[in-house]
Amino acid sequence: MASAPSRPLILLVVGALQIPLVLAALPARAASALAAWALGSDGVLQLRTSRGARLEAFFQPADGAQGAKVWIDFPGELSRSRSLRGSGPVRAIRLGKPTPGSTRLVIEFKPSISLNPNQLKLIGTSPDRWKLNFEGLPTRGLRPIGEGDLTASTLSRWAPGIRITPTRTPINASGLPNVPRGRFRVVIDPGHGGPDPGAIGIRGVRETDVVLDVSLQVAQLLEARGVQVIMTRTADVDVDLPPRVAIANRVGATAFVSIHANAISMSRPQVNGIETFYFSDSRSARLASHIQQQVLNVSPGSPNRGVRRGRFFVIRRTTMPSALVETGFLTGRLDAPRLASAAHRRKLALAIATGILNYLQGVR
């Protein structure tokens, strides 16, 4: 299996949030993207997952008698929740299902252990391999622990192949909603980039390529309507999450829109759909609703997964109305061929630009 460029995933920091773990048995038919894991005596966590699975990693600092926690969420349901006794600096390792259709691996450290979340990155070393080095972790007394075979091959019926580059064809803005020229400033955030390709889907289509192409076209359309656009990246480069937020907050943007494509296990191509996230305020909810409706309009048959609250870093830390749109599933039988199509990406750009302009029309 050819290796892919490493792709770092920053651990998001959660404050005093408590994470409930479901310890009851889960359905035997559930299929988790987590295939194998191991924490070595050197303090390195290794994972094997379904190819192209999207992972989310979080850090929670110590709080009184509770030690720091690191947890990783995977798509697909766990077959059996369980808790394993730790050793050395690790108090326990737990596996559970925080929500239907998901798996969570939690590593809880002893209260005396201090970790710097800025030094923690979950690195994807190939489409189905990940590692996390707990920098600075005292490893005395830490015994290897894990489950499953890390060396096994994760098979996929999808052959890699398609690579997408941004279109150079001008896009026609006629028919888009009008807003006062020069009044608004919008930040467009193409997700991932550089060594972080995001989700990898059917036929090897990479999220970073899809969303960059769509985002550049959205920027062109908004600029044609007199909106000043600032992009967090304009090429396949790595931009960390805090700088994306800093860009938006520094320029005093009217709105912030992060553009992504979804993924789940390659074994579940029946999962498709459009969803848009906001963090909390009503203005962000309106922005997300406008975008969601327009993207659905150009994605017939793709399920409406709704406008939902989410805790994604870039929409939680920005100070202006913000939304994160998932334009479809790169692992979905219906969505994936569309996302690989230049014609559909053009429709997505027109839809997202229309949603943003519709929102701006209501800004006073």
Side-chain angles (χ1 to χ4, degrees), residues 195-261:
D196 173 16
I200 299 175
I202 295 172
R203 299 183 64 191
V205 176
R206 306 192 317 163
E207 179 181 6
T208 179
D209 300 333
V210 170
V211 301
L212 179 60
D213 185 31
V214 172
S215 297
L216 289 170
Q217 294 184 69
V218 170
Q220 182 184 341
L221 291 166
L222 293 178
E223 288 170 345
R225 280 293 182 260
V227 177
Q228 181 184 355
V229 177
I230 298 93
M231 296 195 62
T232 58
R233 68 180 180 97
T234 58
D236 189 20
V237 296
D238 182 22
V239 181
D240 214 341
L241 298 179
R244 296 173 192 251
V245 170
I247 289 170
N249 291 344
R250 184 174 63 248
V251 303
T254 313
F256 173 95
V257 177
S258 191
I259 300 175
H260 290 255

Side-chain angles (χ1 to χ4, degrees), residues 9 12 22 41 101 107 117 130 142 144 146 150 165 168 186 192 194-195 224 247 270 283 318 337 350 354:
L9 179 64
L12 305 185
V22 179
S41 58
I107 301 177
W130 305 76
L142 180 61
L150 286 171
T165 56
R168 296 181 180 273
V186 173
H192 308 280
I247 289 170
Q270 74 276 13
R283 294 178 303 163
T318 40
L350 285 162
T354 299

Side-chain angles (χ1 to χ4, degrees), residues 39-313:
L39 178 62
S41 58
D42 56 356
V44 177
L45 175 67
Q46 297 188 66
L47 306 170
R48 179 169 67 86
T49 67
S50 302
R51 291 175 61 88
R54 167 176 288 182
L55 279 58
E56 291 185 322
F58 300 84
F59 173 83
Q60 179 177 306
D63 181 16
Q66 295 293 319
K69 297 177 184 176
V70 169
W71 70 89
I72 303 169
D73 287 346
F74 307 81
E77 293 186 5
L78 192 67
S79 61
R80 177 177 58 86
S81 296
R82 49 206 179 268
S83 181
L84 308 175
R85 185 187 300 274
S87 62
V90 177
R91 171 180 279 180
I93 297 177
R94 294 189 288 270
L95 293 100
K97 183 183 72 167
T99 58
S102 66
T103 295
R104 177 169 289 168
L105 170 67
V106 182
I107 301 177
E108 180 182 353
F109 297 90
K110 294 180 177 178
S112 60
I113 300 301
S114 177
L115 292 174
N116 181 356
N118 294 323
Q119 295 180 325
L120 302 179
K121 285 189 177 183
L122 182 63
I123 304 293
T125 57
S126 73
D128 64 344
R129 298 293 197 279
W130 305 76
K131 70 176 182 178
L132 170 57
N133 184 6
F134 289 101
E135 294 284 351
L137 179 69
T139 57
R140 183 174 180 178
L142 180 61
R143 297 188 299 274
I145 185 172
E147 298 176 316
D149 184 359
L150 286 171
T151 65
S153 297
T154 304
L155 300 178
S156 172
R157 54 182 161 171
W158 311 113
I162 295 179
R163 292 302 301 271
I164 293 167
T165 56
T167 180
R168 296 181 180 273
T169 305
I171 189 166
N172 189 351
S174 63
L176 289 180
N178 288 304
V179 296
R181 299 185 69 87
R183 179 179 172 186
F184 300 114
R185 183 177 295 139
V186 173
V187 173
I188 299 298
D189 175 44
H192 308 280
D196 173 16
I200 299 175
I202 295 172
R203 299 183 64 191
V205 176
R206 306 192 317 163
E207 179 181 6
T208 179
D209 300 333
V210 170
V211 301
L212 179 60
D213 185 31
V214 172
S215 297
L216 289 170
Q217 294 184 69
V218 170
Q220 182 184 341
L221 291 166
L222 293 178
E223 288 170 345
R225 280 293 182 260
V227 177
Q228 181 184 355
V229 177
I230 298 93
M231 296 195 62
T232 58
R233 68 180 180 97
T234 58
D236 189 20
V237 296
D238 182 22
V239 181
D240 214 341
L241 298 179
R244 296 173 192 251
V245 170
I247 289 170
N249 291 344
R250 184 174 63 248
V251 303
T254 313
F256 173 95
V257 177
S258 191
I259 300 175
H260 290 255
N262 228 328
I264 198 168
S265 170
M266 287 286 196
S267 64
R268 300 180 66 188
Q270 74 276 13
V271 178
N272 300 271
I274 311 300
E275 56 191 346
T276 306
F277 295 89
Y278 69 100
F279 176 51
S280 61
D281 68 284
S282 59
R283 294 178 303 163
S284 294
R286 288 198 301 272
L287 172 63
S289 295
H290 281 298
I291 293 171
Q292 174 76 3
Q293 185 57 59
Q294 294 300 322
V295 174
L296 282 172
N297 289 347
V298 299
S299 308
S302 194
N304 181 0
R305 295 172 65 91
V307 174
R308 304 161 58 188
R309 291 191 175 188
R311 292 186 56 86
F312 298 103
F313 187 90

Side-chain angles (χ1 to χ4, degrees), residues 304-332:
N304 181 0
R305 295 172 65 91
V307 174
R308 304 161 58 188
R309 291 191 175 188
R311 292 186 56 86
F312 298 103
F313 187 90
V314 292
I315 58 174
R316 182 161 51 91
R317 295 296 182 90
T318 40
T319 57
M320 70 291 303
S322 303
L324 185 151
V325 57
E326 296 279 8
T327 54
F329 278 76
L330 286 165
T331 50

